[in-house]
Structures are given as C-alpha cells and as structure tokens.
Amino acid sequence: MSESIKILPNGPYQVSPDTKLTIQSIGADADRISREWQQGPEYPEKLTAYFLCRCGRSANKPYCDGAHEAARFNGAETADRTPYAQRAKKYEGEAVDLLDDERCAQLRFCDAGIGAWNLAIKSGDPNNLELAKQECANCSSGRLTLVQKDGMPIEPDLPKEIDCVQDPPRGIRGPLKVTGGIPLTGADGQDYEPRNRYTLCRCGLSKNKPFCDTRHINCTHMEGFDSVSE
Ligand code: FES
C-alpha cells in the first residue's frame, strides 16, 4: 500500500489509487456535544489516482468536477510549516500535558465534560485522564495532543484513510479527515510534516490552506451531505 495525497496548484487533491475513502459523521448527543465518530459507507475502490475537490464548488462532491477552473480558485498554501511540537502551546497537567497548536476544524469533540484543556490539567483523576484521551483522539485536526511527562505523545492507532466529514448538527459537510499518517505533498513538491491526524480544507475558504480553519461552517456551498450512491 502506498497511500498519498498531492496538492495540485489551484486545483484538487490528487490521491493515490489505493487510498481508502469513506464517509464519517459527527455523532452528537442531545446537547449537540460531539461524542463519537460514526462510520458511514466506503466509496468504491479506485484503480487509478482520483481527485478530491479542494475549492468547494464541485457539483459531484467529494470529487473534483473541474469547477475550480471557472471559479478561478486560488489554492495558495499559507499554513505555517513549523513542526507541530515547536508550534504548539503546552498546558501542564497533573498526570499528562496537553499540546495545542490552535489549528481547529470545529469538530467539537473537545467540549464534553469540563473540556479537554481542564481534563488534561486535572488528569490526576483517572476519569478525567480517560476522557481527555478520548477527546484528543477524536480531535481530527490534530490540534490537541496529550503527552506523557517524559514527552512521549499519546496517539491513537488510526487506519490509513480519508474520511469525508459530515456535520449533522449543522447540516453541512466538514473537511477531509486524514488519519494514519498519509503523506501530504504541497503544490510546490515539498512534503508536509507527517501527522497521524489532520483535516484538509475542502470548502476552498480556509485562510490556512491546505488545512481546515473552520470557515466551512459559514458557507452555503457546503450545505447537505455526501453520499456514495450519488
Ligand atoms: S477542486 Fe476541482 S471542482 Fe473543486
């Protein structure tokens, strides 16, 4: 297997043929607090490279249909390439620490209980530590990472795949959730830092391309949901 994602200049994400693509929804409780990822269907396996929309204008989401050309999509990548460990702020906790680089995708898994930051700070309580681990594992943008006191990150074991995020409480599509350390190469040919979790913008509006910066929540062209049958 050789999963990979390459960004095309002012165009889509080019994905290697053996990269699994699925739909996943935010499972929220009655208070609209995100609790779990709900697995949806998988798109048919591709024999050749495939192209995922990055501009948000495709009528065939999640795939590119060429609409980026008429839209004159500006896909310039502006994200800070400083490694996460250097970029992130550290919150000291009782049993573990929390790193936070503020690269948010508005998936809202960090809100449950007293919130991931307070859970980490009060991680001497085993219940708080367990919930902090869950919330950070579900933080698909990779913003939040728990680290042991010896500096070792606490990372979940995630499959190599791309998931098209659906946000039912908001009635919109979210970013592309990439897990398992799939390599990402910019349009300039430079590789991004390998990460176990990251979220790619697919509304075209992020000011931190190629990564999601939450702007999809306020754009009408991300309304509705993806479907494998469409
Ligand atoms: S990137 Fe091609 S239609 Fe959006």
Side-chain angles (χ1 to χ4, degrees):
M1 299 288 273
S2 56
E3 296 88 348
S4 66
I5 303 172
K6 178 164 177 30
I7 297 168
L8 300 188
N10 300 322
Y13 300 105
Q14 178 181 316
V15 183
S16 63
D18 44 13
T19 306
K20 185 172 167 183
L21 180 68
T22 87
I23 291 176
Q24 281 195 7
S25 298
I26 295 172
D29 63 20
D31 297 323
R32 295 164 65 103
I33 302 284
S34 301
R35 292 290 182 179
E36 60 179 7
W37 284 108
Q38 294 179 338
Q39 184 62 59
E42 183 178 340
Y43 286 90
E45 198 178 337
K46 312 293 188 304
L47 297 176
T48 58
Y50 60 96
F51 300 88
L52 296 176
C53 176
R54 190 160 73 97
C55 73
R57 299 294 175 179
S58 173
N60 187 37
K61 292 184 182 70
Y63 299 107
C64 168
D65 70 355
H68 57 273
E69 294 194 10
R72 299 191 174 188
F73 172 55
N74 178 358
E77 296 159 57
T78 52
D80 184 354
R81 293 198 184 214
T82 305
Y84 173 81
Q86 293 174 30
R87 212 174 53 233
K89 180 178 174 185
K90 184 164 149 184
Y91 293 80
E92 298 270 352
E94 293 168 353
V96 295
D97 299 327
L98 179 73
L99 298 182
D100 176 3
D101 74 351
E102 299 186 358
R103 188 171 283 176
C104 183
Q106 262 295 320
L107 305 172
R108 309 180 299 282
F109 285 94
C110 54
D111 292 340
I114 56 176
W117 295 263
N118 286 322
L119 288 167
I121 290 166
K122 298 181 180 177
S123 53
D125 179 330
N127 293 326
N128 288 344
L129 177 58
E130 195 50 40
L131 190 51
K133 284 181 181 174
Q134 280 178 34
E135 295 191 11
C136 292
N138 285 328
C139 174
S140 300
S141 67
R143 169 179 175 169
L144 301 178
T145 302
L146 286 183
V147 290
Q148 297 176 171
K149 288 296 181 183
D150 61 5
M152 182 71 75
I154 302 173
E155 273 296 327
D157 190 16
L158 298 173
K160 279 189 192 300
E161 64 184 41
I162 302 173
D163 305 306
C164 302
V165 170
Q166 319 297 303
D167 188 342
R170 287 201 164 105
I172 56 172
R173 298 167 176 86
L176 297 170
K177 169 162 107 61
V178 185
T179 57
I182 296 178
L184 174 66
T185 305
D188 61 0
Q190 300 276 335
D191 292 338
Y192 282 85
E193 178 191 18
R195 300 287 317 274
N196 189 29
R197 299 168 278 134
Y198 58 92
T199 46
L200 293 173
C201 170
R202 63 171 176 142
C203 72
L205 300 178
S206 173
K207 300 283 188 224
N208 193 38
K209 291 185 183 68
F211 302 107
C212 173
D213 76 346
T214 79
R215 281 182 166 75
H216 60 276
I217 63 177
N218 288 321
C219 69
T220 53
H221 58 264
M222 294 301 280
E223 288 175 356
F225 303 112
D226 296 310
S227 163
V228 166
S229 57
E230 280 177 14

